[in-house]
Amino acid sequence: MYIRVSYDTKPDVLLHLMIKDWQLELPKLLISVHGGLQNFDLQPKLKQVFGKGLIKAAMTTGAWIFTGGVSTGVIRHVGDALKDHSSKSRGKIYAIGIAPWGIVENREDLIGKDITRPYQTMSNPLSKLCVLNNTHTHFILADNGTTGKYGAEVKLRRQVEKHISLQKINTRLGQGVPVVGLIVEGGPNVISIVLECLREEPPVPVVVCDGSGRASDILSFAHKYSEEGG
């Protein structure tokens, strides 16, 4: 299922759509995956640990997984884990891709209202655009009028995650939906995302995949060697 929305759509409207129209149950946990957008390899052992850990966390808690939705970089690795899981058919995991409309390959095929469309997920090696990852269950495609650029989805995704975290899953205890960030590889923007997570009120815990390269390894190194208390 997918929807194309304006980049400034209110998060409560989107959550209403997810619960009422897509008939999803409010998650007990939200796992927000961030990392490299360019394709990168993970060592086989690390890839296995990452995939199994992600699936186990989602299955045991009834979590939603949020990603960037397109079939490149870290999202490809999430997709591989989901594919492996679905081949063993061990229960449904809701993986929701939040992507910029302008970056999506073959997006014209998706235009229409209340329709079912065939979508070609084979990527064109000469194109600067990206195909959606077909292991995800749902997509929110944020449109700000740009083509071939990331950015339309960033604020929207952050606002939706924040709004979900404020929903009460235990009214007696007044407990909201816990959100956790999962970081794999990544560039400078990923370091900024981690900083934003930690500056949230309350802070969003972040799990960093050490050994996956680039930003993740820098963050792991800094954490390991920094003094207690910063």
Side-chain angles (χ1 to χ4, degrees), residues 42 46-47 49-50 182-185 206-213 215-217 220:
L42 286 176
L46 183 59
K47 186 173 175 103
V49 168
F50 165 75
L182 177 56
I183 308 298
V184 186
E185 212 245 10
V206 176
V207 177
V208 177
C209 196
D210 189 12
S212 59
S216 291
D217 288 7
S220 301

Side-chain angles (χ1 to χ4, degrees), residues 157-174:
R157 176 172 169 179
R158 200 160 58 232
Q159 287 177 335
V160 171
E161 289 175 355
K162 180 70 178 172
H163 187 65
I164 290 171
S165 77
L166 297 173
Q167 306 310 302
K168 298 287 179 271
I169 48 173
N170 187 325
T171 42
R172 195 168 55 82
L173 297 175

Side-chain angles (χ1 to χ4, degrees), residues 90-106:
R90 294 185 183 149
K92 185 96 165 170
I93 292 176
Y94 293 106
I96 299 162
I98 302 181
W101 170 257
I103 206 82
V104 177
E105 184 84 80
N106 307 321

Side-chain angles (χ1 to χ4, degrees), residues 77-90:
H77 294 293
V78 173
D80 290 346
L82 290 166
K83 191 153 108 189
D84 184 55
H85 168 76
S86 67
S87 70
K88 296 167 185 153
S89 56
R90 294 185 183 149

Side-chain angles (χ1 to χ4, degrees), residues 10-134:
K10 296 281 182 280
D12 56 321
V13 173
L14 281 175
L15 185 60
H16 182 83
L17 165 103
M18 292 154 98
I19 304 294
K20 292 285 184 289
D21 296 302
W22 289 354
Q23 299 187 323
L24 301 179
E25 280 185 32
L26 200 64
K28 307 283 191 302
L29 171 70
L30 178 58
I31 302 169
S32 182
V33 183
H34 293 276
L37 289 170
Q38 302 300 320
N39 287 332
F40 60 90
D41 291 323
L42 286 176
Q43 296 161 3
K45 177 84 175 126
L46 183 59
K47 186 173 175 103
Q48 188 186 19
V49 168
F50 165 75
K52 280 190 171 168
L54 177 63
I55 298 303
K56 186 178 179 186
M59 284 300 293
T60 52
T61 59
W64 289 356
I65 299 172
F66 271 16
T67 78
V70 291
S71 214
T72 64
V74 63
I75 308 150
R76 207 167 47 104
H77 294 293
V78 173
D80 290 346
L82 290 166
K83 191 153 108 189
D84 184 55
H85 168 76
S86 67
S87 70
K88 296 167 185 153
S89 56
R90 294 185 183 149
K92 185 96 165 170
I93 292 176
Y94 293 106
I96 299 162
I98 302 181
W101 170 257
I103 206 82
V104 177
E105 184 84 80
N106 307 321
R107 63 184 177 278
E108 295 77 18
D109 296 348
L110 301 173
I111 295 172
K113 190 178 178 187
D114 297 331
I115 46 157
T116 300
R117 292 280 198 178
Y119 179 75
Q120 173 57 263
T121 56
M122 285 290 289
S123 57
N124 175 355
L126 300 175
S127 174
K128 289 191 167 68
L129 303 178
C130 305
V131 292
L132 296 172
N133 186 280
N134 63 1

